[in-house]
């Protein structure tokens, strides 16, 4: 796995997409804000998954789209990071 797929880089990329493109959230939104509470819906999740795939080459399996993994940009980035690590080991 390369530097562009570090947890920090993934968190920043997911945060940027969610904040600016999907939710248009204000300054009070941060990497630990609850995505569902902020209005991330199934349509937004689909758009986010497409963006993640474009940036990483990974399509995140639907089974990983749990409430815990979608709790925040940081938890989703950790999920993506784990999935990328698993894919690298195969």
């Amino acid at each position: 796995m390369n530097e562009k797929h570090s947890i920090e880089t993934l968190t920043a990329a997911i945060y940027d997409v969610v904040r600016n493109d999907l939710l248009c959230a204000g300054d009070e939104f941060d990497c630990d804000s609850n995505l569902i509470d902020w209005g991330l819906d199934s349509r937004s999740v689909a758009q986010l998954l497409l963006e993640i795939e474009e940036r990483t080459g990974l399509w995140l399996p639907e089974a990983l789209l749990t409430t815990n993994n979608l709790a925040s940009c940081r938890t989703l980035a950790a999920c993506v990071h784990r999935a990328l690590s698993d894919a690298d080991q195969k």
Side-chain angles (χ1 to χ4, degrees), residues 14-78:
I14 290 169
Y15 171 79
D16 183 56
V17 170
V18 170
R19 183 174 185 264
N20 297 317
D21 299 335
L22 301 178
L23 298 181
C24 298
D27 290 336
E28 59 278 358
F29 182 82
D30 62 29
C31 291
D32 295 311
S33 295
N34 187 290
L35 298 176
I36 295 166
D37 288 349
W38 273 85
L40 194 73
D41 58 16
S42 58
R43 188 167 151 187
S44 300
V45 169
Q47 290 174 301
L48 183 55
L49 291 177
L50 288 171
E51 187 66 31
I52 290 169
E53 180 182 30
E54 185 176 303
R55 292 180 185 218
T56 66
L58 171 77
W59 180 256
L60 202 59
E62 194 172 313
L64 295 178
L65 301 179
T66 64
T67 304
N68 288 340
N69 287 335
L70 292 173
S72 69
C73 296
R74 196 174 313 279
T75 59
L76 182 56

Short mmCIF file of all heavy atoms in Angstrom, two decimals, residues 14-78:
data_model
loop_
_atom_site.label_atom_id
_atom_site.label_comp_id
_atom_site.label_asym_id
_atom_site.label_seq_id
_atom_site.Cartn_x
_atom_site.Cartn_y
_atom_site.Cartn_z
N ILE A 14 -11.86 11.65 2.10
CA ILE A 14 -13.27 11.38 2.37
C ILE A 14 -13.93 12.62 2.98
O ILE A 14 -15.02 13.01 2.58
CB ILE A 14 -13.42 10.14 3.28
CG1 ILE A 14 -13.03 8.89 2.49
CG2 ILE A 14 -14.83 10.03 3.85
CD1 ILE A 14 -12.87 7.64 3.33
N TYR A 15 -13.24 13.25 3.91
CA TYR A 15 -13.76 14.47 4.54
C TYR A 15 -14.03 15.54 3.48
O TYR A 15 -15.09 16.17 3.48
CB TYR A 15 -12.75 14.98 5.57
CG TYR A 15 -13.08 16.34 6.12
CD1 TYR A 15 -14.06 16.48 7.10
CD2 TYR A 15 -12.42 17.48 5.67
CE1 TYR A 15 -14.37 17.74 7.62
CE2 TYR A 15 -12.73 18.73 6.19
CZ TYR A 15 -13.69 18.85 7.16
OH TYR A 15 -14.01 20.09 7.65
N ASP A 16 -13.09 15.75 2.59
CA ASP A 16 -13.24 16.76 1.55
C ASP A 16 -14.46 16.49 0.67
O ASP A 16 -15.27 17.39 0.42
CB ASP A 16 -11.97 16.81 0.71
CG ASP A 16 -12.03 17.90 -0.34
OD1 ASP A 16 -12.25 19.07 0.03
OD2 ASP A 16 -11.87 17.58 -1.53
N VAL A 17 -14.62 15.26 0.23
CA VAL A 17 -15.76 14.90 -0.63
C VAL A 17 -17.06 15.05 0.12
O VAL A 17 -18.02 15.66 -0.38
CB VAL A 17 -15.61 13.46 -1.17
CG1 VAL A 17 -16.88 12.99 -1.84
CG2 VAL A 17 -14.42 13.37 -2.12
N VAL A 18 -17.12 14.52 1.33
CA VAL A 18 -18.36 14.57 2.11
C VAL A 18 -18.73 16.01 2.43
O VAL A 18 -19.86 16.44 2.21
CB VAL A 18 -18.24 13.74 3.40
CG1 VAL A 18 -19.43 13.98 4.32
CG2 VAL A 18 -18.14 12.26 3.07
N ARG A 19 -17.77 16.77 2.94
CA ARG A 19 -18.06 18.14 3.38
C ARG A 19 -18.42 19.06 2.22
O ARG A 19 -19.38 19.83 2.29
CB ARG A 19 -16.86 18.72 4.13
CG ARG A 19 -17.13 20.12 4.66
CD ARG A 19 -15.98 20.60 5.52
NE ARG A 19 -16.31 21.87 6.12
CZ ARG A 19 -15.95 23.05 5.61
NH1 ARG A 19 -15.24 23.10 4.51
NH2 ARG A 19 -16.29 24.17 6.21
N ASN A 20 -17.66 18.99 1.14
CA ASN A 20 -17.84 19.96 0.07
C ASN A 20 -18.77 19.52 -1.06
O ASN A 20 -19.40 20.37 -1.68
CB ASN A 20 -16.47 20.31 -0.52
CG ASN A 20 -15.59 20.97 0.51
OD1 ASN A 20 -16.02 21.83 1.26
ND2 ASN A 20 -14.34 20.54 0.57
N ASP A 21 -18.84 18.22 -1.32
CA ASP A 21 -19.61 17.76 -2.47
C ASP A 21 -20.93 17.10 -2.10
O ASP A 21 -21.91 17.22 -2.83
CB ASP A 21 -18.79 16.77 -3.31
CG ASP A 21 -17.53 17.39 -3.86
OD1 ASP A 21 -17.48 18.63 -4.01
OD2 ASP A 21 -16.57 16.64 -4.12
N LEU A 22 -20.96 16.39 -0.98
CA LEU A 22 -22.16 15.62 -0.66
C LEU A 22 -23.07 16.29 0.36
O LEU A 22 -24.28 16.26 0.23
CB LEU A 22 -21.77 14.22 -0.16
CG LEU A 22 -20.97 13.39 -1.16
CD1 LEU A 22 -20.61 12.04 -0.55
CD2 LEU A 22 -21.75 13.21 -2.45
N LEU A 23 -22.48 16.89 1.38
CA LEU A 23 -23.31 17.47 2.44
C LEU A 23 -23.27 18.98 2.48
O LEU A 23 -24.14 19.59 3.09
CB LEU A 23 -22.86 16.93 3.81
CG LEU A 23 -22.98 15.43 4.02
CD1 LEU A 23 -22.51 15.06 5.43
CD2 LEU A 23 -24.40 14.95 3.78
N CYS A 24 -22.28 19.59 1.86
CA CYS A 24 -22.13 21.05 1.93
C CYS A 24 -22.23 21.51 3.38
O CYS A 24 -22.98 22.42 3.72
CB CYS A 24 -23.13 21.75 1.04
SG CYS A 24 -22.94 21.35 -0.69
N ALA A 25 -21.47 20.84 4.24
CA ALA A 25 -21.51 21.10 5.68
C ALA A 25 -20.69 22.33 6.03
O ALA A 25 -19.77 22.70 5.32
CB ALA A 25 -20.98 19.89 6.43
N GLY A 26 -21.03 22.92 7.15
CA GLY A 26 -20.34 24.11 7.63
C GLY A 26 -19.09 23.78 8.41
O GLY A 26 -18.64 22.64 8.46
N ASP A 27 -18.53 24.80 9.04
CA ASP A 27 -17.28 24.68 9.78
C ASP A 27 -17.38 23.75 10.98
O ASP A 27 -16.37 23.23 11.45
CB ASP A 27 -16.80 26.05 10.25
CG ASP A 27 -16.34 26.91 9.09
OD1 ASP A 27 -15.96 26.37 8.03
OD2 ASP A 27 -16.36 28.15 9.24
N GLU A 28 -18.57 23.53 11.49
CA GLU A 28 -18.73 22.67 12.66
C GLU A 28 -18.59 21.18 12.31
O GLU A 28 -18.44 20.34 13.18
CB GLU A 28 -20.06 22.93 13.37
CG GLU A 28 -21.29 22.71 12.54
CD GLU A 28 -21.66 23.88 11.62
OE1 GLU A 28 -21.00 24.94 11.62
OE2 GLU A 28 -22.64 23.73 10.88
N PHE A 29 -18.61 20.86 11.02
CA PHE A 29 -18.41 19.48 10.57
C PHE A 29 -16.92 19.17 10.58
O PHE A 29 -16.12 19.94 10.07
CB PHE A 29 -18.98 19.31 9.15
CG PHE A 29 -18.86 17.91 8.62
CD1 PHE A 29 -19.79 16.95 8.97
CD2 PHE A 29 -17.83 17.57 7.76
CE1 PHE A 29 -19.68 15.66 8.48
CE2 PHE A 29 -17.71 16.29 7.27
CZ PHE A 29 -18.64 15.33 7.62
N ASP A 30 -16.54 18.04 11.19
CA ASP A 30 -15.13 17.64 11.20
C ASP A 30 -15.01 16.15 10.89
O ASP A 30 -16.01 15.48 10.63
CB ASP A 30 -14.45 18.02 12.51
CG ASP A 30 -15.03 17.32 13.73
OD1 ASP A 30 -15.55 16.19 13.61
OD2 ASP A 30 -14.95 17.90 14.82
N CYS A 31 -13.80 15.64 10.94
CA CYS A 31 -13.53 14.24 10.57
C CYS A 31 -14.20 13.23 11.49
O CYS A 31 -14.33 12.06 11.14
CB CYS A 31 -12.03 13.98 10.53
SG CYS A 31 -11.21 14.83 9.18
N ASP A 32 -14.62 13.67 12.66
CA ASP A 32 -15.26 12.78 13.62
C ASP A 32 -16.77 13.00 13.71
O ASP A 32 -17.43 12.33 14.50
CB ASP A 32 -14.62 12.95 15.00
CG ASP A 32 -13.16 12.52 14.99
OD1 ASP A 32 -12.87 11.42 14.48
OD2 ASP A 32 -12.30 13.30 15.45
N SER A 33 -17.30 13.90 12.90
CA SER A 33 -18.75 14.14 12.90
C SER A 33 -19.47 12.91 12.36
O SER A 33 -18.99 12.25 11.43
CB SER A 33 -19.09 15.34 12.02
OG SER A 33 -18.55 16.52 12.56
N ASN A 34 -20.62 12.61 12.94
CA ASN A 34 -21.40 11.46 12.51
C ASN A 34 -22.02 11.73 11.14
O ASN A 34 -22.80 12.67 10.98
CB ASN A 34 -22.48 11.13 13.53
CG ASN A 34 -23.19 9.85 13.20
OD1 ASN A 34 -23.94 9.78 12.24
ND2 ASN A 34 -22.95 8.84 14.00
N LEU A 35 -21.64 10.91 10.17
CA LEU A 35 -22.10 11.13 8.79
C LEU A 35 -23.61 10.98 8.64
O LEU A 35 -24.24 11.75 7.92
CB LEU A 35 -21.38 10.15 7.85
CG LEU A 35 -19.87 10.30 7.79
CD1 LEU A 35 -19.27 9.21 6.92
CD2 LEU A 35 -19.48 11.68 7.29
N ILE A 36 -24.17 10.00 9.31
CA ILE A 36 -25.61 9.76 9.19
C ILE A 36 -26.39 10.90 9.86
O ILE A 36 -27.37 11.40 9.30
CB ILE A 36 -25.98 8.39 9.77
CG1 ILE A 36 -25.32 7.31 8.90
CG2 ILE A 36 -27.48 8.19 9.84
CD1 ILE A 36 -25.29 5.93 9.47
N ASP A 37 -25.92 11.35 11.02
CA ASP A 37 -26.57 12.47 11.69
C ASP A 37 -26.52 13.74 10.84
O ASP A 37 -27.42 14.58 10.91
CB ASP A 37 -25.92 12.77 13.05
CG ASP A 37 -26.24 11.72 14.09
OD1 ASP A 37 -27.13 10.87 13.85
OD2 ASP A 37 -25.60 11.74 15.16
N TRP A 38 -25.48 13.87 10.03
CA TRP A 38 -25.33 15.05 9.16
C TRP A 38 -26.10 14.91 7.85
O TRP A 38 -26.08 15.80 7.02
CB TRP A 38 -23.86 15.32 8.89
CG TRP A 38 -23.26 16.18 9.96
CD1 TRP A 38 -22.75 15.78 11.15
CD2 TRP A 38 -23.16 17.60 9.94
NE1 TRP A 38 -22.32 16.86 11.86
CE2 TRP A 38 -22.55 17.99 11.14
CE3 TRP A 38 -23.50 18.57 9.01
CZ2 TRP A 38 -22.29 19.32 11.45
CZ3 TRP A 38 -23.23 19.90 9.32
CH2 TRP A 38 -22.64 20.25 10.53
N GLY A 39 -26.76 13.78 7.64
CA GLY A 39 -27.63 13.64 6.48
C GLY A 39 -27.11 12.79 5.34
O GLY A 39 -27.68 12.80 4.26
N LEU A 40 -26.03 12.03 5.57
CA LEU A 40 -25.55 11.14 4.52
C LEU A 40 -26.61 10.06 4.31
O LEU A 40 -26.98 9.36 5.24
CB LEU A 40 -24.21 10.51 4.93
CG LEU A 40 -23.45 9.83 3.82
CD1 LEU A 40 -22.83 10.88 2.88
CD2 LEU A 40 -22.35 8.95 4.38
N ASP A 41 -27.12 9.97 3.10
CA ASP A 41 -28.16 9.00 2.78
C ASP A 41 -27.64 7.99 1.76
O ASP A 41 -26.47 8.05 1.36
CB ASP A 41 -29.43 9.69 2.30
CG ASP A 41 -29.19 10.55 1.05
OD1 ASP A 41 -28.15 10.39 0.38
OD2 ASP A 41 -30.06 11.39 0.75
N SER A 42 -28.49 7.08 1.33
CA SER A 42 -28.04 6.01 0.43
C SER A 42 -27.51 6.56 -0.89
O SER A 42 -26.54 6.04 -1.44
CB SER A 42 -29.17 5.01 0.18
OG SER A 42 -30.30 5.65 -0.36
N ARG A 43 -28.10 7.60 -1.38
CA ARG A 43 -27.63 8.22 -2.62
C ARG A 43 -26.23 8.83 -2.42
O ARG A 43 -25.35 8.67 -3.25
CB ARG A 43 -28.62 9.28 -3.06
CG ARG A 43 -28.35 9.86 -4.40
CD ARG A 43 -29.56 10.63 -4.83
NE ARG A 43 -29.18 11.70 -5.71
CZ ARG A 43 -29.99 12.61 -6.13
NH1 ARG A 43 -31.24 12.62 -5.72
NH2 ARG A 43 -29.59 13.54 -6.95
N SER A 44 -26.05 9.51 -1.31
CA SER A 44 -24.75 10.10 -1.00
C SER A 44 -23.69 9.02 -0.79
O SER A 44 -22.54 9.18 -1.21
CB SER A 44 -24.84 10.96 0.26
OG SER A 44 -25.76 12.00 0.10
N VAL A 45 -24.09 7.92 -0.14
CA VAL A 45 -23.15 6.82 0.07
C VAL A 45 -22.70 6.26 -1.27
O VAL A 45 -21.51 6.00 -1.48
CB VAL A 45 -23.77 5.71 0.96
CG1 VAL A 45 -22.91 4.46 0.96
CG2 VAL A 45 -23.96 6.22 2.38
N ALA A 46 -23.63 6.09 -2.20
CA ALA A 46 -23.28 5.57 -3.53
C ALA A 46 -22.28 6.50 -4.23
O ALA A 46 -21.30 6.05 -4.82
CB ALA A 46 -24.53 5.39 -4.37
N GLN A 47 -22.52 7.79 -4.14
CA GLN A 47 -21.59 8.76 -4.74
C GLN A 47 -20.23 8.70 -4.06
O GLN A 47 -19.19 8.78 -4.73
CB GLN A 47 -22.17 10.18 -4.64
CG GLN A 47 -23.37 10.40 -5.53
CD GLN A 47 -23.99 11.76 -5.29
OE1 GLN A 47 -24.40 12.08 -4.19
NE2 GLN A 47 -24.04 12.56 -6.35
N LEU A 48 -20.23 8.56 -2.75
CA LEU A 48 -18.98 8.47 -2.01
C LEU A 48 -18.21 7.21 -2.39
O LEU A 48 -17.00 7.24 -2.58
CB LEU A 48 -19.27 8.50 -0.50
CG LEU A 48 -18.08 8.48 0.44
CD1 LEU A 48 -17.09 9.61 0.12
CD2 LEU A 48 -18.56 8.58 1.87
N LEU A 49 -18.92 6.10 -2.54
CA LEU A 49 -18.26 4.85 -2.94
C LEU A 49 -17.63 4.97 -4.32
O LEU A 49 -16.53 4.46 -4.56
CB LEU A 49 -19.25 3.69 -2.92
CG LEU A 49 -19.75 3.26 -1.55
CD1 LEU A 49 -20.77 2.15 -1.68
CD2 LEU A 49 -18.60 2.83 -0.66
N LEU A 50 -18.31 5.65 -5.22
CA LEU A 50 -17.74 5.88 -6.55
C LEU A 50 -16.47 6.72 -6.46
O LEU A 50 -15.48 6.44 -7.14
CB LEU A 50 -18.75 6.56 -7.47
CG LEU A 50 -19.91 5.69 -7.94
CD1 LEU A 50 -20.96 6.54 -8.64
CD2 LEU A 50 -19.41 4.58 -8.85
N GLU A 51 -16.48 7.72 -5.62
CA GLU A 51 -15.30 8.57 -5.44
C GLU A 51 -14.15 7.78 -4.82
O GLU A 51 -12.99 7.91 -5.24
CB GLU A 51 -15.65 9.78 -4.58
CG GLU A 51 -14.56 10.79 -4.47
CD GLU A 51 -14.23 11.50 -5.76
OE1 GLU A 51 -15.12 11.68 -6.61
OE2 GLU A 51 -13.05 11.87 -5.95
N ILE A 52 -14.46 6.94 -3.84
CA ILE A 52 -13.43 6.10 -3.22
C ILE A 52 -12.84 5.15 -4.25
O ILE A 52 -11.62 4.97 -4.33
CB ILE A 52 -14.01 5.33 -2.01
CG1 ILE A 52 -14.29 6.31 -0.86
CG2 ILE A 52 -13.06 4.22 -1.56
CD1 ILE A 52 -15.09 5.72 0.28
N GLU A 53 -13.70 4.56 -5.07
CA GLU A 53 -13.21 3.64 -6.10
C GLU A 53 -12.31 4.37 -7.10
O GLU A 53 -11.26 3.86 -7.49
CB GLU A 53 -14.38 2.99 -6.84
CG GLU A 53 -13.90 2.02 -7.92
CD GLU A 53 -15.03 1.39 -8.71
OE1 GLU A 53 -16.10 2.03 -8.87
OE2 GLU A 53 -14.84 0.26 -9.19
N GLU A 54 -12.72 5.57 -7.50
CA GLU A 54 -11.92 6.34 -8.45
C GLU A 54 -10.54 6.66 -7.87
O GLU A 54 -9.54 6.61 -8.58
CB GLU A 54 -12.66 7.62 -8.82
CG GLU A 54 -11.96 8.42 -9.90
CD GLU A 54 -12.76 9.63 -10.31
OE1 GLU A 54 -13.93 9.47 -10.71
OE2 GLU A 54 -12.22 10.75 -10.20
N ARG A 55 -10.48 6.98 -6.59
CA ARG A 55 -9.21 7.39 -5.98
C ARG A 55 -8.32 6.22 -5.57
O ARG A 55 -7.11 6.37 -5.53
CB ARG A 55 -9.48 8.26 -4.75
CG ARG A 55 -10.07 9.60 -5.11
CD ARG A 55 -10.32 10.44 -3.89
NE ARG A 55 -11.00 11.67 -4.24
CZ ARG A 55 -10.74 12.83 -3.67
NH1 ARG A 55 -9.83 12.92 -2.73
NH2 ARG A 55 -11.40 13.90 -4.04
N THR A 56 -8.95 5.06 -5.26
CA THR A 56 -8.15 3.95 -4.73
C THR A 56 -8.16 2.70 -5.60
O THR A 56 -7.33 1.82 -5.42
CB THR A 56 -8.67 3.53 -3.34
OG1 THR A 56 -9.98 2.98 -3.47
CG2 THR A 56 -8.66 4.68 -2.36
N GLY A 57 -9.14 2.60 -6.49
CA GLY A 57 -9.29 1.39 -7.29
C GLY A 57 -10.06 0.30 -6.55
O GLY A 57 -10.23 -0.81 -7.05
N LEU A 58 -10.56 0.62 -5.38
CA LEU A 58 -11.28 -0.35 -4.54
C LEU A 58 -12.77 -0.05 -4.53
O LEU A 58 -13.18 1.08 -4.26
CB LEU A 58 -10.75 -0.29 -3.10
CG LEU A 58 -11.54 -1.09 -2.07
CD1 LEU A 58 -11.21 -2.58 -2.19
CD2 LEU A 58 -11.23 -0.60 -0.67
N TRP A 59 -13.58 -1.06 -4.84
CA TRP A 59 -15.02 -0.94 -4.63
C TRP A 59 -15.29 -1.56 -3.27
O TRP A 59 -15.04 -2.74 -3.05
CB TRP A 59 -15.82 -1.64 -5.71
CG TRP A 59 -17.29 -1.49 -5.45
CD1 TRP A 59 -18.12 -2.43 -4.95
CD2 TRP A 59 -18.08 -0.29 -5.62
NE1 TRP A 59 -19.39 -1.91 -4.80
CE2 TRP A 59 -19.39 -0.60 -5.20
CE3 TRP A 59 -17.81 0.99 -6.07
CZ2 TRP A 59 -20.42 0.33 -5.24
CZ3 TRP A 59 -18.84 1.90 -6.10
CH2 TRP A 59 -20.13 1.58 -5.70
N LEU A 60 -15.76 -0.76 -2.34
CA LEU A 60 -16.01 -1.21 -0.98
C LEU A 60 -17.25 -2.11 -0.96
O LEU A 60 -18.32 -1.68 -1.39
CB LEU A 60 -16.22 0.01 -0.07
CG LEU A 60 -16.00 -0.16 1.41
CD1 LEU A 60 -14.57 -0.61 1.70
CD2 LEU A 60 -16.28 1.14 2.13
N PRO A 61 -17.11 -3.35 -0.51
CA PRO A 61 -18.26 -4.26 -0.47
C PRO A 61 -19.39 -3.71 0.39
O PRO A 61 -19.15 -3.10 1.43
CB PRO A 61 -17.68 -5.54 0.14
CG PRO A 61 -16.21 -5.45 -0.06
CD PRO A 61 -15.89 -3.98 -0.03
N GLU A 62 -20.60 -3.97 -0.04
CA GLU A 62 -21.78 -3.48 0.67
C GLU A 62 -21.83 -3.96 2.12
O GLU A 62 -22.30 -3.25 3.00
CB GLU A 62 -23.04 -3.93 -0.07
CG GLU A 62 -24.29 -3.22 0.37
CD GLU A 62 -25.46 -3.56 -0.52
OE1 GLU A 62 -25.32 -3.53 -1.75
OE2 GLU A 62 -26.53 -3.85 0.05
N ALA A 63 -21.29 -5.14 2.37
CA ALA A 63 -21.29 -5.70 3.73
C ALA A 63 -20.50 -4.82 4.70
O ALA A 63 -20.72 -4.88 5.92
CB ALA A 63 -20.71 -7.11 3.71
N LEU A 64 -19.59 -4.01 4.19
CA LEU A 64 -18.79 -3.13 5.05
C LEU A 64 -19.47 -1.79 5.34
O LEU A 64 -18.97 -0.99 6.11
CB LEU A 64 -17.42 -2.88 4.42
CG LEU A 64 -16.52 -4.10 4.30
CD1 LEU A 64 -15.21 -3.74 3.63
CD2 LEU A 64 -16.28 -4.74 5.65
N LEU A 65 -20.61 -1.57 4.73
CA LEU A 65 -21.32 -0.29 4.93
C LEU A 65 -22.21 -0.36 6.16
O LEU A 65 -23.42 -0.23 6.11
CB LEU A 65 -22.13 0.06 3.69
CG LEU A 65 -21.33 0.20 2.41
CD1 LEU A 65 -22.24 0.53 1.24
CD2 LEU A 65 -20.24 1.25 2.57
N THR A 66 -21.57 -0.55 7.29
CA THR A 66 -22.28 -0.66 8.55
C THR A 66 -22.39 0.71 9.21
O THR A 66 -21.68 1.65 8.85
CB THR A 66 -21.53 -1.61 9.51
OG1 THR A 66 -20.25 -1.02 9.81
CG2 THR A 66 -21.33 -2.98 8.89
N THR A 67 -23.24 0.79 10.20
CA THR A 67 -23.39 2.02 10.96
C THR A 67 -22.07 2.43 11.59
O THR A 67 -21.72 3.60 11.60
CB THR A 67 -24.48 1.85 12.05
OG1 THR A 67 -25.69 1.45 11.41
CG2 THR A 67 -24.71 3.14 12.80
N ASN A 68 -21.31 1.45 12.09
CA ASN A 68 -20.02 1.75 12.71
C ASN A 68 -19.03 2.30 11.69
O ASN A 68 -18.31 3.26 11.98
CB ASN A 68 -19.42 0.51 13.37
CG ASN A 68 -20.15 0.13 14.64
OD1 ASN A 68 -20.83 0.95 15.24
ND2 ASN A 68 -20.02 -1.11 15.03
N ASN A 69 -18.97 1.72 10.50
CA ASN A 69 -18.02 2.18 9.49
C ASN A 69 -18.42 3.52 8.90
O ASN A 69 -17.58 4.27 8.42
CB ASN A 69 -17.84 1.14 8.39
CG ASN A 69 -17.05 -0.06 8.86
OD1 ASN A 69 -16.26 0.03 9.79
ND2 ASN A 69 -17.26 -1.20 8.22
N LEU A 70 -19.70 3.82 8.92
CA LEU A 70 -20.19 5.10 8.40
C LEU A 70 -20.38 6.14 9.51
O LEU A 70 -20.99 7.18 9.29
CB LEU A 70 -21.51 4.91 7.65
CG LEU A 70 -21.41 4.13 6.35
CD1 LEU A 70 -22.80 3.84 5.79
CD2 LEU A 70 -20.57 4.89 5.32
N ALA A 71 -19.82 5.86 10.66
CA ALA A 71 -19.99 6.78 11.80
C ALA A 71 -19.32 8.12 11.54
O ALA A 71 -19.82 9.15 11.97
CB ALA A 71 -19.44 6.15 13.07
N SER A 72 -18.19 8.13 10.84
CA SER A 72 -17.47 9.38 10.58
C SER A 72 -16.53 9.19 9.40
O SER A 72 -16.32 8.06 8.94
CB SER A 72 -16.67 9.80 11.82
OG SER A 72 -15.59 8.90 12.03
N CYS A 73 -15.96 10.26 8.95
CA CYS A 73 -14.95 10.18 7.88
C CYS A 73 -13.78 9.33 8.34
O CYS A 73 -13.23 8.54 7.58
CB CYS A 73 -14.47 11.58 7.49
SG CYS A 73 -15.76 12.62 6.78
N ARG A 74 -13.42 9.47 9.59
CA ARG A 74 -12.28 8.74 10.14
C ARG A 74 -12.55 7.24 10.20
O ARG A 74 -11.70 6.43 9.84
CB ARG A 74 -11.93 9.27 11.53
CG ARG A 74 -10.58 8.86 12.02
CD ARG A 74 -10.19 9.51 13.34
NE ARG A 74 -10.41 10.95 13.44
CZ ARG A 74 -9.60 11.88 12.95
NH1 ARG A 74 -8.53 11.54 12.30
NH2 ARG A 74 -9.88 13.17 13.10
N THR A 75 -13.75 6.83 10.64
CA THR A 75 -14.06 5.40 10.71
C THR A 75 -14.20 4.80 9.31
O THR A 75 -13.78 3.67 9.08
CB THR A 75 -15.34 5.12 11.52
OG1 THR A 75 -16.45 5.80 10.93
CG2 THR A 75 -15.17 5.54 12.97
N LEU A 76 -14.75 5.56 8.38
CA LEU A 76 -14.85 5.06 7.00
C LEU A 76 -13.47 4.93 6.37
O LEU A 76 -13.18 3.95 5.69
CB LEU A 76 -15.74 5.98 6.17
CG LEU A 76 -15.96 5.53 4.72
CD1 LEU A 76 -16.53 4.11 4.65
CD2 LEU A 76 -16.88 6.52 4.01
N ALA A 77 -12.59 5.88 6.64
CA ALA A 77 -11.22 5.80 6.12
C ALA A 77 -10.50 4.57 6.68
O ALA A 77 -9.78 3.89 5.94
CB ALA A 77 -10.45 7.07 6.46
N ALA A 78 -10.70 4.29 7.95
CA ALA A 78 -10.08 3.10 8.55
C ALA A 78 -10.62 1.83 7.89
O ALA A 78 -9.86 0.89 7.63
CB ALA A 78 -10.34 3.07 10.06
#
